[in-house]
Amino acid sequence: MNVVEVNGLGLHGANRAVVTDVSLALAPGRILGLAGPSGAGKTSLAHAVIGYLRPGLTVATGSVRVCGFDPFTASGSRAVRGSRVGYLGQDPASGLNPARRIGSQLAEALRRRPGLSDPRATVAEAAESVRLPADLLRRYPHELSGGQAQRAALAAALVGRPELLILDEPTSGLDVTLRRQVTELLCGLGAGTSVLLVSHDTEVLRHVAHDVLRMAAGRLVASAGPVAVPAPVTVPAPAVVPAPAAVSAPATVPAPAVVPAPMTVSVPAAACGSSPASRSDTLLRAAGIVAGYGRATVLDGVDLHVDPGQCVAVVGDSGSGKSTLGRCLAGLQAPWRGQIAVRGRAVPWPAGRRGADRVAVCYVPQDSRSALNPREPVAVALTRAGRAASRAGRQAADLATLLDLVGLPGLKDRYPGQLSGGERERVNLARALATCGDVLICDEVTASLDEQSERSVLDTLDRLRHELGLGIVLITHSPVVAARADATHHLAEGRLT
Amino acid sequence: MKSLRVGLIVLLTAVVVFGLLGPWLPVGSATAPAGRPFAPPGPGHPFGTDFLGRDMLARLADGGRMMLLQAIGATVAGSVVGISVGTLTGLSTTPVTRVMLRVVDGLSALPPLLVLLVLATGTPGNEVVVAVAIAAVSIPFSVRAVHAATRDVVRQPYVAIARARGDGPLRIVRYDVLPNILEVVGAEAGIRFIAAAQFAATAGFLGLGASAPAANWGRLVRENLPGLDLNPAALLVPAALLVALAVAVTAFVDRFAAGPATLARVVPR
């Protein structure tokens, strides 16, 4: 019997079809990949498998069977959820209970597996399997980095040994090494667990999935069939680690890792012809930033400067403090020590006290779900940001231009709950752009985007910095993204090199 | 589920309209005797008569308005104060807001009935004072509930981002806080309205506000308790009106406060 059978499923929203006529089957022990661009309906389909429909969606046609149960009935969803199916959603930080420690949440997930002799050891084992350091089990979700939260949520999905694992972008926030380890882990699950793997990451899909289905605009477009490298149980070849130079988009000229004079970097042909802003003063200069949480020091004397039109990438291991640095720069978090100067003027924390400079540094957060007000349509969120810019004496861009810039025309009336993960990330980006800042801190903004959307967002950022002299700090784990930057800094042990 | 909710809202409208318009309904005198005491329902008296032989229907029609107006007035006043003070103290922790919270907490320590008695006996027969007293004793609960809900929202990253770009407290309350605490505010106002209605009924029973012959649904329950065997309708109908009011108000509040894309349906069919 197939673990999952979806027959002619159609999901309809208020005025459009989100998923149309999708049929698929997943046999025991198999790993089925689901690929496709942002907003194609991948997550809606994965949700339907556990019988969840986001508000406003209805099942128009077809049926879903999971282990023989209909997850849309009350008894079916009880039989399926938690025990037979493990689920890892997008934006895993929002999916963890903020009021409980990670270890307790893993133990909670274990309750579905009665008769264990040593639950504590099983929890530790699950944490180890996703390379989550044991001391993090004592922490609360908000004390974890994005990548650590993702691994904790993955451990919670795995620990109950479900028959079916539904993983929605399980590797989006992970760097190359961790991604390889998670890939190995998935390959080693064995015959007892089937996996429905939603991912935009073709590398991961290629090495893990037995079959890959591709979705576009709510339909399955082509079944790739068994893929070229069907070696799921063996450890994948080291080719998972992409060589950055080989993968980088051809339009860009990756600068050497030495800090270059920003204005002399050759401008990509794709960027507009106008000359970069002639201001030569440093937009943002951070000196000796020391920050941490409780008694733990995360940043230990970080110096960074961003010139007009310059793009600086900050890379580093999961949990190394990349987001903390971003939040300090943007004024969302006050560091223990250190100074920040915007255009040569020292500015205080928090950002709201920076006078006309308060919108100078904008932060695009990593967890795109919690960064958007759930009761506010996209248009209102962007208009508000624009008004904040006007009050600070800047020229606000209009709504349609902003949405076009991030490739989301026609979404202005949607609420965040009606957007896909990739769309939410781009709305966050558009909102930051709406404040017309001088420096944009992008924290993993392309992590849950497919290659094409990622390229178009990065192209947009390139264009903006060349046209408007915007400075950009790209916080990323991806060598492909970092290759776009003029300079790449590594954050390790609290220091930037 | 939906038809049930629609039914409850129809019920609420009916109860409130009957209560508010009752004194103008052509149902006869609420004070003149119309038969023997505790007569069971019969022709001309659909709910029978009360302990003095007055027509129950006329008593019911007469007894709703002042009680409802007191409850509505006290609830609205409580919500206005609760939302302003609650969001303000939830949004920023300064010495001023801390003192405000402590004052509110002190207010909640006063026994509600004592406040009602002291205020109402100072100005006998004044119904407005009764409403003011009800509002005063309910404000601390409103402030505390709104305060706690606001604290939750203020911790969200989207508020941090709005603050960072310089949105002032009023904008944050208007766009970020209010839409996200609407359900709490509504539910809290609903439960406070029910308490206020009960309190207004109690005031009527104690003879505060307008004195004896004036009807009040709460007072009708007490007045007709001895006649439970003879004419149960005289007791059950006003009690049922109070219950219907309570249930229908909460259903209405749920309907009103459910925003877009918030109610996740766990089992859709």
Side-chain angles (χ1 to χ4, degrees):
Chain A
M1 187 181 69
N2 284 330
V3 179
V4 179
E5 271 183 35
V6 176
N7 285 315
L9 184 70
L11 303 177
H12 285 194
N15 44 22
R16 67 200 177 95
V18 175
V19 169
T20 311
D21 192 27
V22 167
S23 299
L24 59 87
L26 177 56
R30 303 283 285 181
I31 299 181
L32 177 65
L34 200 56
S38 166
K42 306 189 293 290
T43 299
S44 297
L45 178 58
H47 280 169
V49 172
I50 46 173
Y52 172 80
L53 296 173
R54 73 162 191 250
L57 282 192
T58 50
V59 179
T61 59
S63 67
V64 178
R65 288 289 177 279
V66 178
C67 308
F69 296 96
D70 180 354
F72 288 115
T73 61
S75 61
S77 77
R78 257 200 311 280
V80 161
R81 291 183 192 174
S83 47
R84 288 185 171 84
V85 179
Y87 174 74
L88 167 70
Q90 263 176 329
D91 290 318
S94 311
L96 294 167
N97 181 346
R100 301 195 63 189
R101 295 176 198 275
I102 299 299
S104 323
Q105 297 194 42
L106 293 185
E108 173 82 28
L110 256 190
R111 263 197 351 196
R112 308 277 186 171
R113 230 175 106 192
L116 272 180
S117 55
D118 190 357
R120 196 177 286 258
T122 317
V123 165
E125 200 180 297
E128 170 58 28
S129 72
V130 295
R131 303 289 186 275
L132 194 67
D135 56 315
L136 297 188
L137 291 177
R138 303 271 316 143
R139 296 215 193 157
Y140 288 98
H142 69 266
E143 297 169 329
L144 298 186
S145 79
Q148 287 166 344
Q150 191 158 30
R151 281 175 286 155
L154 181 58
L158 285 169
V159 75
R161 294 264 174 83
E163 289 170 47
L164 169 66
L165 257 181
I166 299 175
L167 305 177
D168 198 348
E169 303 285 4
T171 56
S172 64
L174 304 182
D175 59 40
V176 176
T177 323
L178 284 169
R179 200 170 50 166
R180 192 177 57 224
Q181 284 162 350
V182 168
T183 332
E184 285 168 18
L185 171 73
L186 294 180
C187 291
L189 281 176
T193 305
S194 324
V195 181
L196 179 61
L197 178 62
V198 178
S199 182
H200 65 271
D201 190 330
T202 46
E203 280 298 317
V204 170
L205 287 177
R206 198 154 63 84
H207 286 282
V208 175
H210 297 97
D211 307 279
V212 176
L213 296 174
R214 184 162 286 282
M215 281 187 90
R219 293 172 184 274
L220 290 182
V221 281
S223 170
V227 277
V229 194
V233 185
T234 58
V235 175
V240 185
V241 188
V247 191
S248 69
T252 56
V253 182
V258 228
V259 180
M263 287 305 114
T264 60
V265 172
S266 56
V267 176
C272 83
S274 75
S275 65
S278 56
R279 301 177 298 246
S280 58
D281 51 338
T282 300
L283 280 180
L284 176 71
R285 181 180 292 279
I289 300 285
V290 179
Y293 304 92
R295 265 173 295 172
T297 308
V298 176
L299 302 176
D300 191 10
V302 169
D303 303 313
L304 182 75
H305 73 101
V306 184
D307 291 324
Q310 193 189 16
C311 176
V312 177
V314 174
V315 297
D317 290 341
S318 172
S320 61
K322 303 190 290 292
S323 296
T324 306
L325 175 61
R327 292 168 48 80
C328 285
L329 293 177
L332 293 171
Q333 176 180 345
W336 293 344
R337 280 197 301 283
Q339 286 96 39
I340 283 184
V342 173
R343 291 187 190 284
R345 284 192 304 273
V347 292
W349 280 275
R353 296 218 191 109
R354 290 180 178 175
D357 286 329
R358 61 181 178 257
V359 293
V361 186
C362 294
Y363 182 63
V364 188
Q366 183 172 17
D367 187 0
S368 62
R369 185 187 299 273
S370 61
L372 292 174
N373 180 346
R375 299 280 188 125
E376 190 173 60
V378 171
V380 179
L382 298 187
T383 318
R384 267 180 80 193
R387 278 197 222 122
S390 318
R391 285 199 302 276
R394 287 160 195 260
Q395 179 75 43
D398 74 290
L399 190 66
T401 317
L402 285 168
L403 286 172
D404 276 344
L405 267 180
V406 295
L408 294 176
L411 290 190
K412 64 188 179 66
D413 295 324
R414 299 250 196 108
Y415 285 89
Q418 299 168 315
L419 298 173
S420 79
E423 287 165 348
R424 275 199 303 271
E425 284 194 341
R426 283 178 282 166
V427 169
N428 266 312
L429 181 61
R431 183 178 57 181
L433 292 174
T435 47
C436 311
D438 300 325
V439 181
L440 213 56
I441 317 271
C442 300
D443 195 350
E444 302 280 10
V445 280
T446 58
S448 65
L449 297 182
D450 57 291
E451 277 165 39
Q452 200 185 341
S453 315
E454 175 177 281
R455 208 175 310 130
S456 86
V457 165
L458 292 175
D459 285 344
T460 304
L461 290 179
D462 273 342
R463 210 169 69 229
L464 287 167
R465 68 192 174 102
H466 291 120
E467 278 176 19
L468 309 169
L470 207 67
I472 292 173
V473 178
L474 277 181
I475 296 172
T476 182
H477 63 269
S478 156
V480 182
V481 176
R484 291 280 187 123
D486 303 324
T488 303
H489 297 297
H490 285 267
L491 186 60
E493 288 169 4
R495 289 183 173 276
L496 211 54
T497 48
Chain B
M1 198 57 218
K2 197 173 177 181
S3 58
L4 177 65
R5 193 177 283 162
V6 170
L8 285 170
I9 288 169
V10 170
L11 180 68
L12 170 76
T13 320
V15 171
V16 171
V17 167
F18 175 72
L20 291 178
L21 302 184
W24 291 304
L25 291 179
V27 288
S29 165
T31 47
R36 65 183 173 83
F38 291 131
H45 307 298
F47 300 121
T49 60
D50 75 348
F51 74 114
L52 289 179
R54 295 171 291 198
D55 179 34
M56 258 326 276
L57 181 61
R59 297 285 290 165
L60 286 168
D62 197 45
R65 183 170 63 179
M66 189 45 72
M67 204 198 79
L68 278 173
L69 287 179
Q70 284 170 342
I72 292 170
T75 309
V76 170
S79 283
V80 169
V81 177
I83 290 172
S84 353
V85 179
T87 52
L88 183 67
T89 55
L91 213 54
S92 59
T93 317
T94 63
V96 177
T97 60
R98 274 201 210 105
V99 168
M100 283 171 90
L101 264 188
R102 294 293 94 81
V103 168
V104 166
D105 290 346
L107 203 60
S108 73
L110 296 175
L113 207 54
L114 184 69
V115 174
L116 182 66
L117 284 168
V118 167
L119 285 179
T121 45
T123 49
N126 190 333
E127 302 274 21
V128 176
V129 172
V130 173
V132 169
I134 297 172
V137 298
S138 72
I139 280 171
F141 301 97
S142 182
V143 170
R144 271 296 174 183
V146 174
H147 171 82
T150 306
R151 296 295 306 163
D152 260 0
V153 174
V154 165
R155 276 192 278 266
Q156 295 296 318
Y158 55 82
V159 176
I161 287 169
R163 276 185 164 164
R165 66 173 180 234
D167 279 16
L170 280 183
R171 276 197 179 79
I172 289 176
V173 167
R174 153 90 177 74
Y175 289 102
D176 292 322
V177 174
L178 278 186
N180 285 296
I181 64 169
L182 207 58
E183 266 169 89
V184 174
V185 167
E188 184 270 333
I191 208 94
R192 216 154 24 79
F193 174 75
I194 296 163
Q198 299 294 347
F199 219 48
T202 309
F205 166 68
L206 291 175
L208 306 171
S211 54
N216 173 311
W217 290 348
R219 185 183 291 166
L220 294 182
V221 174
R222 292 298 304 221
E223 281 175 349
N224 298 317
L225 194 55
L228 183 60
D229 297 336
L230 298 166
N231 180 15
L235 171 72
L236 294 181
V237 175
L241 281 173
L242 288 172
V243 171
L245 191 65
V247 175
V249 163
T250 45
F252 177 76
V253 163
D254 287 347
R255 173 87 196 87
F256 161 76
T262 52
L263 290 180
R265 287 175 306 162
V266 176
V267 178
R269 263 189 265 164

